[in-house]
Amino acid sequence: MTTAHIDTFARDSLPAIALQPDFLFNLPELQFGAHINCATELLDRHIREGRGERVCIRGKDVCWTYRDLNDRANQVANVLTRDMGLVAGNRVLLHASNTPMMAACWFGIVKAGGIAVATMPLLRAKELQPILDIAKISHALCEASLSTEMGLAAHNTPQLRHLRHFNYSGPDSLEAAMERQSPVFENVNTAADDTCLIAFTSGTTGIPKATMHFHRDVMAICACWPGYVLKPTPDDVFIGSPPLAFTFGLGGLLLFPMSVGASTVLLDKAGPTQLLDGIKEFGATVVFTAPTSYRTLSARGSEVRRTSLRRCVSAGEALPASTRALWREATGIELIDGIGATEMLHIFISADEASARPGATGRVVPGYEARVVDDDGKTVPVGTVGKLAVRGPTGCRYLTDERQKTYVRDGWNLTGDAYLMDADGYFFYQSRTDDMIISSGYNIASPEVEEALMQHPSVAECAVIGEPDEERGQIVKAFVALRPGVVGDAAMVKTLQDFVKSVVAPYKYPRAIAFIDKLPRTQTGKLQRFKLRSL
Ligand code: 3UK
């Protein structure tokens, strides 16, 4: 395939073929030609096929049709290539909260053959800096309200040559530059295997890892999970909380709705309250958010019942069976759980409402293969805990990173999760492979103890870790946030310990319990167990 990239940095930074995972294209939907620009498929196609006047994106005071978004994305592409000297293959940092303009920028970059590197809005200069360096970013588009940290990071980055701000009305704004450009642009005819986005892992520790994804990969995730599990229609209205910088959000709130010609609502702030307000205001039918958000919102189930919501997707963290039950009782809706990863781009194990089973993430998504393996990479018997290994049309390609060898073994992607598979092919999450607690020789998965604790009415949230112990190697320690009005005293410790013993095997009970106000989480909503370990 002939690349359209003039700047070949991304191609030159791919892992050696021998270190890459196997890629499978075993579905009729996965037969791709040599050239794809995913922006052409997801955006221009709708206009070409007569759907230009349908609503595409809504946000605060904004309602854009497919044609509106396409015009703006074309103007961004013209600004990038004519004013800012972008050539195909250049990396463009996109630093913004979820707004329609951020989406226009994403498509503008991709139309121009650039590589979109979206970053979480709350990142500080110190966190933006390594991203600018690792991806060798030459251009940046930044929301004006985030300009301080962006400016600090840009200051120390000589290769960053062009920076423009948007979501404001100054004469030097991106919008002002767009006004001077034509809304017509001929999308660059990129190769199916040209990189179109670099996503940084939300990694809880260490140097961030940059994962590279092709135009083909974007089309592959649109062809697999949505069509087989979510089954959206063009009349669906998508909404949710994950940032577009997190591939869970990029897929769920931008790529998937657009792949079927549906509409999406982008909220720049999407805590549980704003999310529920948004669902009501925009008549949303499909929501994407994390387990904790469903837990919080279940207290307002009767309000949810009065909305038009019909599909609720949970990912990013294990979904406790108790949260699934709570949501169903409160709202009448069965959650769609799915495990995805930045390395895999999106969800590869999941179950729709009809086939969901409590405690299981689901079955492998069509297009993917999954198995549970031992340390030698051999498949373990049904019902045995081991490491999750997956492969499919997408997979891990770290940008020049030694850790490629850890994530990919013998063509399979190892996600770092401990799972077991039952005889029906359902996959049950146990823990992160490094979060298995070994106490007096017993293997104890933190989430199982957390699940038990969460069934107690006094517990709002909790997290369980292994604490070093002379006698037992490790002991189970729980951090518990109590519901308002409940007192965290010695009697409560005893109550919770006895409760856990009554729900799961007694040896799993937390020998130590500490009460805290709030659990430490990443911006993608993941629990930071390592922070608890250092408390
Ligand atoms: C964990 C889950 C149990 C698991 C993601 C959907 O979370 C996403 O990507 P990340 O790179 O993290 C990947 C890791 O998160 N995880 C995610 N979902 C589940 N564990 N059940 C789940 N349903 O440890 C995985 O290895 O931040 C999720 C779509 C795109 C994504 N990038």
Side-chain angles (χ1 to χ4, degrees):
M1 287 174 216
T2 38
T3 178
H5 285 181
I6 293 163
D7 173 351
T8 58
F9 168 78
R11 194 164 284 262
D12 300 339
S13 306
L14 286 170
I17 294 289
L19 300 178
Q20 289 191 25
D22 298 338
F23 289 99
L24 313 175
F25 302 96
N26 300 336
L27 288 176
E29 301 91 319
L30 295 174
Q31 308 310 309
F32 300 114
H35 290 272
I36 305 174
N37 186 318
C38 65
T40 309
E41 302 304 314
L42 295 171
L43 182 48
D44 302 62
R45 180 174 60 91
H46 295 295
I47 293 144
R48 204 174 59 229
E49 294 175 1
R51 290 182 294 274
E53 309 318 318
R54 284 181 63 88
V55 173
C56 177
I57 296 200
R58 302 188 64 183
K60 215 189 284 159
D61 308 320
V62 176
C63 179
W64 288 350
T65 61
Y66 275 86
R67 188 182 308 284
D68 293 331
L69 177 66
N70 195 43
D71 288 351
R72 280 165 179 89
N74 285 345
Q75 287 174 312
V76 172
N78 280 321
V79 171
L80 284 168
T81 52
R82 290 162 188 251
D83 289 354
M84 296 171 73
L86 180 109
V87 300
N90 285 165
R91 277 76 53 216
V92 185
L93 187 87
L94 190 46
H95 189 52
S97 44
N98 289 4
T99 61
M101 262 304 282
M102 183 187 187
C105 290
W106 195 88
F107 278 103
I109 296 165
V110 173
K111 279 169 168 268
I115 298 175
V117 187
T119 47
M120 310 283 176
L122 290 177
L123 293 192
R124 300 273 179 183
K126 193 170 139 287
E127 295 145 321
L128 287 171
Q129 191 88 61
I131 293 176
L132 293 170
D133 292 338
I134 293 169
K136 297 238 172 0
I137 306 260
S138 53
H139 297 70
L141 301 176
C142 175
E143 183 176 309
S145 62
L146 304 174
S147 63
T148 313
E149 295 297 324
M150 183 70 237
L152 287 171
H155 188 68
N156 297 317
T157 313
Q159 93 273 357
L160 177 62
R161 288 176 284 125
H162 302 273
L163 166 61
R164 282 280 165 96
H165 291 97
F166 60 90
N167 283 346
Y168 92 113
S169 52
D172 56 344
S173 67
L174 175 63
E175 285 91 336
M178 286 162 66
E179 281 298 308
R180 295 189 289 268
Q181 295 293 342
S182 151
V184 178
F185 181 84
E186 189 172 340
N187 296 355
V188 171
N189 189 21
T190 39
D193 64 356
D194 278 335
T195 294
C196 70
L197 73 97
I198 294 178
F200 280 81
T201 55
S202 55
T204 40
T205 44
I207 309 167
K209 288 172 270 189
T211 66
M212 299 199 276
H213 299 286
F214 299 163
H215 285 268
R216 180 187 85 198
D217 302 333
V218 167
M219 299 322 298
I221 60 164
C222 292
C224 293
W225 179 80
Y228 287 92
V229 182
L230 184 67
K231 298 181 268 270
T233 77
D235 292 323
D236 272 316
V237 179
F238 288 59
I239 199 168
S241 65
L244 296 179
F246 181 22
T247 65
F248 177 39
L250 181 71
L253 302 179
L254 197 60
L255 309 176
F256 300 163
M258 291 181 61
S259 71
V260 296
S263 73
T264 188
V265 180
L266 296 179
L267 303 171
D268 56 351
K269 293 199 181 59
T273 311
Q274 292 107 333
L275 195 52
L276 183 53
D277 289 347
I279 293 167
K280 293 179 189 168
E281 181 183 345
F282 297 100
T285 56
V286 180
V287 66
F288 285 74
T289 189
T292 45
S293 184
Y294 288 112
R295 233 183 138 70
T296 309
L297 280 175
S298 62
R300 299 175 67 182
S302 53
E303 287 171 75
V304 175
R305 279 178 189 271
R306 290 196 294 272
T307 68
S308 35
L309 212 53
R310 67 178 193 101
R311 294 252 192 286
C312 301
V313 181
S314 171
E317 268 202 315
L319 174 68
S322 56
T323 304
R324 174 184 287 288
L326 204 58
W327 187 252
R328 192 192 324 105
E329 281 151 27
T331 68
I333 304 172
E334 187 76 56
L335 283 168
I336 302 176
D337 188 8
I339 178 174
T342 308
E343 287 83 351
M344 302 301 298
L345 197 52
H346 222 271
I347 294 174
F348 47 84
I349 291 176
S350 183
D352 64 13
E353 296 92 331
S355 51
R357 291 199 187 166
T361 312
R363 284 183 288 197
V364 70
V365 169
Y368 290 85
E369 294 176 1
R371 29 184 218 128
V372 179
V373 300
D374 63 16
D375 289 338
D376 300 324
K378 289 205 187 66
T379 303
V380 300
V382 160
T384 313
V385 176
K387 296 177 171 175
L388 181 65
V390 294
R391 56 181 192 180
T394 58
C396 178
R397 304 179 199 98
Y398 289 135
L399 191 156
T400 326
D401 199 311
E402 272 303 306
R403 292 170 286 189
Q404 180 76 20
K405 291 186 185 131
T406 318
Y407 204 94
V408 178
R409 296 268 178 84
D410 302 323
W412 290 80
N413 300 275
L414 297 174
T415 63
D417 298 294
Y419 258 88
L420 73 74
M421 192 190 81
D422 73 7
D424 300 328
Y426 278 83
F427 286 82
F428 291 76
Y429 176 81
Q430 307 296 307
S431 71
R432 291 289 300 170
T433 44
D434 39 16
D435 282 332
M436 195 61 91
I437 301 167
I438 304 175
S439 186
S440 305
Y442 287 109
N443 275 358
I444 304 166
S446 318
E448 193 186 355
V449 186
E450 290 162 5
E451 169 71 63
L453 277 165
M454 266 186 307
Q455 287 171 33
H456 193 278
S458 299
V459 176
E461 271 201 304
C462 67
V464 165
I465 60 163
E467 187 168 73
D469 181 79
E470 291 236 325
E471 198 187 325
R472 299 188 155 80
Q474 281 185 311
I475 58 161
V476 176
K477 174 162 187 178
F479 291 85
V480 175
L482 293 167
R483 291 216 180 272
V486 183
V487 184
D489 54 12
M492 183 47 73
V493 170
K494 177 86 172 56
T495 304
L496 293 178
Q497 288 175 327
D498 290 343
F499 180 75
V500 172
K501 287 185 197 169
S502 73
V503 182
V504 292
Y507 69 86
K508 296 176 182 168
Y509 87 94
R511 285 173 192 270
I513 294 184
F515 295 108
I516 55 170
D517 294 338
K518 211 169 163 245
L519 299 176
R521 292 189 178 276
T522 63
Q523 284 182 46
T524 54
K526 279 197 216 325
L527 186 64
Q528 293 169 302
R529 285 208 177 74
F530 77 99
K531 284 208 174 147
L532 295 172
R533 284 192 199 102
S534 61
L535 274 186

